[in-house]
Amino acid sequence: MFYGYDEFGDYYAPALKAVAAFASSVEVPGLVPENVIDGKLDTRWSSQFSDPQWITIDLGRVCKVDQVALRWENAYAKAYAIYVSIDNVNWKEVFSTKEGRGGAEVAMITAVDARYVRMYGTQRATQWGYSLWEFEVRGEELSCAFCSCRRKAISSRITEAVRPDDLEPCLIFEKP
């Protein structure tokens, strides 16, 4: 697995591919949550001009998350928290700050299993809403070799492994 430094000199883990993004609000129709996971620095999400607001990334599967990278537009959060969840219902705070500086911010967190990652803004730094160019979740995908699974034989060569949270089964192809 590759680790290194980004163009801002921040140490990073690989970005995990997100499958969806959703938010508490949208300023105007073109500034939608999906823009923060499209890999483009010329599209963005922007919220309504009020506190609090949030945006959530769905990784589509449980991963081991250890960093969250936010690339803010000029309308950034002075105070915000990062929450993680496996089921999009029960949330755990893993990072918070009251000294957001805008630009590119990387939150280094203790590695945690998560499928959903949320930025929860509680204080805007400007009169505008919260606005992100990109929202990257970094870490590593969990394979059944690295998580506790219960296995069920499907055939002599294929095993279905179901994680304890039962969210997403994966298939393990055994050697012949």
Side-chain angles (χ1 to χ4, degrees), residues 124-147:
R124 293 166 290 137
T126 68
Q127 66 192 16
W128 312 110
Y130 297 90
S131 185
L132 286 168
W133 296 109
E134 291 293 308
F135 182 158
E136 289 183 355
V137 178
R138 300 173 179 168
E140 60 183 306
E141 292 188 32
L142 292 177
S143 69
C144 287
F146 297 100
C147 65

CSV table of all heavy atoms in Angstrom, one decimal, residues 124-147:
chain,number,residue,atom,x,y,z
A,124,ARG,N,-19.6,28.4,10.9
A,124,ARG,CA,-19.0,28.8,9.6
A,124,ARG,C,-18.0,29.9,9.9
A,124,ARG,O,-18.2,30.7,10.8
A,124,ARG,CB,-20.2,29.3,8.7
A,124,ARG,CG,-21.1,28.3,8.2
A,124,ARG,CD,-22.4,28.8,7.6
A,124,ARG,NE,-23.2,29.5,8.7
A,124,ARG,CZ,-23.8,30.6,8.6
A,124,ARG,NH1,-23.7,31.3,7.5
A,124,ARG,NH2,-24.5,31.1,9.6
A,125,ALA,N,-17.0,30.0,9.0
A,125,ALA,CA,-16.0,31.0,9.1
A,125,ALA,C,-16.4,32.3,8.4
A,125,ALA,O,-15.8,33.3,8.6
A,125,ALA,CB,-14.7,30.5,8.6
A,126,THR,N,-17.4,32.2,7.5
A,126,THR,CA,-17.8,33.3,6.7
A,126,THR,C,-19.4,33.4,6.8
A,126,THR,O,-20.0,32.6,7.5
A,126,THR,CB,-17.5,33.1,5.2
A,126,THR,OG1,-18.2,32.0,4.7
A,126,THR,CG2,-16.0,32.8,5.0
A,127,GLN,N,-19.9,34.4,6.2
A,127,GLN,CA,-21.4,34.6,6.1
A,127,GLN,C,-22.0,33.5,5.2
A,127,GLN,O,-23.2,33.3,5.3
A,127,GLN,CB,-21.7,36.0,5.6
A,127,GLN,CG,-21.3,36.2,4.2
A,127,GLN,CD,-21.4,37.6,3.8
A,127,GLN,OE1,-21.5,38.5,4.6
A,127,GLN,NE2,-21.4,37.9,2.5
A,128,TRP,N,-21.3,32.9,4.4
A,128,TRP,CA,-21.8,31.9,3.4
A,128,TRP,C,-22.0,30.6,4.1
A,128,TRP,O,-21.7,30.4,5.3
A,128,TRP,CB,-20.8,31.8,2.2
A,128,TRP,CG,-20.5,33.1,1.7
A,128,TRP,CD1,-19.2,33.7,1.7
A,128,TRP,CD2,-21.3,34.1,1.0
A,128,TRP,NE1,-19.3,35.0,1.2
A,128,TRP,CE2,-20.5,35.2,0.7
A,128,TRP,CE3,-22.7,34.1,0.7
A,128,TRP,CZ2,-21.1,36.3,0.1
A,128,TRP,CZ3,-23.2,35.2,0.0
A,128,TRP,CH2,-22.4,36.3,-0.3
A,129,GLY,N,-22.4,29.6,3.3
A,129,GLY,CA,-22.6,28.2,3.9
A,129,GLY,C,-21.2,27.5,4.0
A,129,GLY,O,-20.2,28.1,3.9
A,130,TYR,N,-21.3,26.2,4.1
A,130,TYR,CA,-20.1,25.4,4.1
A,130,TYR,C,-19.9,24.9,2.6
A,130,TYR,O,-20.8,24.6,1.9
A,130,TYR,CB,-20.3,24.1,4.9
A,130,TYR,CG,-20.4,24.4,6.4
A,130,TYR,CD1,-21.7,24.7,6.9
A,130,TYR,CD2,-19.4,24.6,7.2
A,130,TYR,CE1,-21.9,25.0,8.2
A,130,TYR,CE2,-19.6,24.8,8.6
A,130,TYR,CZ,-20.8,25.1,9.1
A,130,TYR,OH,-21.0,25.4,10.4
A,131,SER,N,-18.6,24.9,2.1
A,131,SER,CA,-18.4,24.6,0.7
A,131,SER,C,-17.1,23.8,0.6
A,131,SER,O,-16.0,24.3,1.0
A,131,SER,CB,-18.3,25.9,-0.1
A,131,SER,OG,-18.2,25.6,-1.5
A,132,LEU,N,-17.2,22.6,0.0
A,132,LEU,CA,-16.1,21.7,-0.2
A,132,LEU,C,-15.9,21.4,-1.7
A,132,LEU,O,-16.9,21.1,-2.4
A,132,LEU,CB,-16.3,20.4,0.6
A,132,LEU,CG,-16.2,20.4,2.1
A,132,LEU,CD1,-16.7,19.2,2.6
A,132,LEU,CD2,-14.7,20.6,2.4
A,133,TRP,N,-14.6,21.5,-2.1
A,133,TRP,CA,-14.3,21.0,-3.5
A,133,TRP,C,-14.2,19.5,-3.4
A,133,TRP,O,-14.8,18.8,-4.3
A,133,TRP,CB,-12.9,21.6,-3.9
A,133,TRP,CG,-12.9,23.1,-4.1
A,133,TRP,CD1,-12.2,23.9,-3.3
A,133,TRP,CD2,-13.5,23.9,-5.1
A,133,TRP,NE1,-12.3,25.2,-3.7
A,133,TRP,CE2,-13.1,25.2,-4.8
A,133,TRP,CE3,-14.3,23.6,-6.2
A,133,TRP,CZ2,-13.5,26.2,-5.7
A,133,TRP,CZ3,-14.7,24.6,-7.0
A,133,TRP,CH2,-14.3,25.9,-6.7
A,134,GLU,N,-13.5,19.0,-2.5
A,134,GLU,CA,-13.4,17.5,-2.4
A,134,GLU,C,-13.4,17.1,-0.9
A,134,GLU,O,-13.0,17.8,0.0
A,134,GLU,CB,-12.0,17.0,-3.0
A,134,GLU,CG,-12.0,17.2,-4.5
A,134,GLU,CD,-12.9,16.2,-5.2
A,134,GLU,OE1,-12.9,15.0,-4.9
A,134,GLU,OE2,-13.7,16.7,-6.1
A,135,PHE,N,-13.8,15.8,-0.7
A,135,PHE,CA,-13.9,15.2,0.7
A,135,PHE,C,-13.4,13.8,0.5
A,135,PHE,O,-14.1,13.0,-0.1
A,135,PHE,CB,-15.4,15.2,1.1
A,135,PHE,CG,-15.7,14.7,2.5
A,135,PHE,CD1,-16.9,15.0,3.1
A,135,PHE,CD2,-14.9,13.8,3.1
A,135,PHE,CE1,-17.2,14.5,4.3
A,135,PHE,CE2,-15.2,13.3,4.4
A,135,PHE,CZ,-16.4,13.7,5.0
A,136,GLU,N,-12.1,13.6,0.8
A,136,GLU,CA,-11.5,12.3,0.7
A,136,GLU,C,-11.4,11.6,2.0
A,136,GLU,O,-11.0,12.2,3.0
A,136,GLU,CB,-10.1,12.5,0.1
A,136,GLU,CG,-10.0,12.9,-1.3
A,136,GLU,CD,-8.6,13.0,-1.8
A,136,GLU,OE1,-7.6,12.8,-1.0
A,136,GLU,OE2,-8.4,13.3,-3.0
A,137,VAL,N,-11.7,10.3,1.9
A,137,VAL,CA,-11.6,9.4,3.1
A,137,VAL,C,-10.4,8.5,2.7
A,137,VAL,O,-10.4,7.9,1.7
A,137,VAL,CB,-12.9,8.6,3.4
A,137,VAL,CG1,-12.7,7.7,4.5
A,137,VAL,CG2,-14.0,9.6,3.6
A,138,ARG,N,-9.5,8.4,3.6
A,138,ARG,CA,-8.2,7.6,3.3
A,138,ARG,C,-8.1,6.5,4.3
A,138,ARG,O,-8.5,6.6,5.5
A,138,ARG,CB,-7.0,8.5,3.4
A,138,ARG,CG,-7.1,9.6,2.3
A,138,ARG,CD,-6.0,10.6,2.4
A,138,ARG,NE,-6.1,11.7,1.4
A,138,ARG,CZ,-5.4,12.8,1.4
A,138,ARG,NH1,-4.5,13.0,2.4
A,138,ARG,NH2,-5.5,13.7,0.5
A,139,GLY,N,-7.4,5.5,3.9
A,139,GLY,CA,-7.2,4.3,4.7
A,139,GLY,C,-7.0,3.1,3.9
A,139,GLY,O,-6.4,3.1,2.8
A,140,GLU,N,-7.6,2.0,4.3
A,140,GLU,CA,-7.5,0.7,3.5
A,140,GLU,C,-8.8,-0.1,3.5
A,140,GLU,O,-9.5,0.0,4.5
A,140,GLU,CB,-6.3,-0.1,4.0
A,140,GLU,CG,-6.5,-0.6,5.4
A,140,GLU,CD,-5.2,-1.3,5.9
A,140,GLU,OE1,-4.8,-2.3,5.2
A,140,GLU,OE2,-4.6,-1.0,6.9
A,141,GLU,N,-9.0,-0.7,2.4
A,141,GLU,CA,-10.2,-1.6,2.4
A,141,GLU,C,-9.9,-2.8,3.2
A,141,GLU,O,-8.8,-3.3,3.3
A,141,GLU,CB,-10.5,-2.0,0.9
A,141,GLU,CG,-10.9,-0.9,0.1
A,141,GLU,CD,-11.4,-1.3,-1.3
A,141,GLU,OE1,-11.9,-2.4,-1.4
A,141,GLU,OE2,-11.2,-0.6,-2.3
A,142,LEU,N,-11.0,-3.3,3.9
A,142,LEU,CA,-10.9,-4.5,4.7
A,142,LEU,C,-11.2,-5.7,3.8
A,142,LEU,O,-12.2,-5.7,3.1
A,142,LEU,CB,-11.8,-4.4,5.9
A,142,LEU,CG,-11.6,-3.4,6.9
A,142,LEU,CD1,-12.7,-3.5,8.0
A,142,LEU,CD2,-10.2,-3.7,7.6
A,143,SER,N,-10.3,-6.7,3.8
A,143,SER,CA,-10.7,-7.9,3.1
A,143,SER,C,-11.0,-8.9,4.3
A,143,SER,O,-10.7,-8.7,5.4
A,143,SER,CB,-9.5,-8.4,2.3
A,143,SER,OG,-8.5,-8.8,3.1
A,144,CYS,N,-11.6,-9.9,3.9
A,144,CYS,CA,-12.0,-10.9,4.9
A,144,CYS,C,-10.8,-11.5,5.6
A,144,CYS,O,-10.9,-12.1,6.7
A,144,CYS,CB,-12.9,-12.0,4.4
A,144,CYS,SG,-14.6,-11.2,4.0
A,145,ALA,N,-9.6,-11.4,5.0
A,145,ALA,CA,-8.4,-11.9,5.7
A,145,ALA,C,-8.1,-11.0,6.9
A,145,ALA,O,-7.4,-11.4,7.8
A,145,ALA,CB,-7.3,-11.9,4.7
A,146,PHE,N,-8.6,-9.8,6.9
A,146,PHE,CA,-8.2,-8.8,8.0
A,146,PHE,C,-9.4,-8.5,8.9
A,146,PHE,O,-9.2,-7.7,9.8
A,146,PHE,CB,-7.7,-7.5,7.4
A,146,PHE,CG,-6.5,-7.7,6.6
A,146,PHE,CD1,-6.6,-7.8,5.2
A,146,PHE,CD2,-5.3,-7.8,7.2
A,146,PHE,CE1,-5.4,-8.0,4.4
A,146,PHE,CE2,-4.1,-8.0,6.4
A,146,PHE,CZ,-4.2,-8.0,5.1
A,147,CYS,N,-10.5,-9.2,8.7
A,147,CYS,CA,-11.6,-8.9,9.6
A,147,CYS,C,-12.2,-10.2,10.1
A,147,CYS,O,-12.0,-11.3,9.5
A,147,CYS,CB,-12.7,-8.0,9.0
A,147,CYS,SG,-13.5,-8.9,7.6
